[in-house]
Amino acid sequence: RHDIEHLAIDLDPARVRTERAAGAPIWFGDAGRSDMLERLGIAEASGLVVTLDEAGAAERVVEAARRLRPDLTIVALAR
């Protein structure tokens, strides 16, 4: 809606297929893995938004991102 370039990562293959078919920039994979974040361009990212319901999974994503980009602005859902 705000015309901000972005991409999404999800572990649900059905959601990835559906969203890709609708034109969404989404990839299948685990965002808690540093190699996945590197492949998808975290080195050039201006920010990271984490919207996972499970706190442990969200923490793994933030930790992986921080290891690669300590300077990155991260916004994470907290419950």
Side-chain angles (χ1 to χ4, degrees):
R1 174 164 84 190
H2 297 287
D3 199 28
I4 298 171
E5 188 177 337
H6 69 282
L7 62 86
I9 306 170
D10 202 295
L11 282 171
D12 181 343
R15 177 177 291 142
V16 171
R17 275 192 302 277
T18 300
E19 294 300 322
R20 270 197 186 165
I26 187 168
W27 297 91
F28 175 77
D30 182 354
R33 292 182 48 163
S34 297
D35 61 327
M36 177 61 113
L37 295 175
E38 288 177 319
R39 267 183 276 156
L40 294 176
I42 196 164
E44 295 82 31
S46 57
L48 174 67
V49 178
V50 181
T51 59
L52 295 168
D53 290 332
E54 184 191 328
E59 287 177 15
R60 285 189 295 279
V61 173
V62 170
E63 288 169 0
R66 277 280 171 248
R67 280 193 302 275
L68 297 169
R69 287 281 310 277
D71 63 316
L72 187 65
T73 298
I74 298 175
V75 177
L77 176 70
R79 291 187 183 233

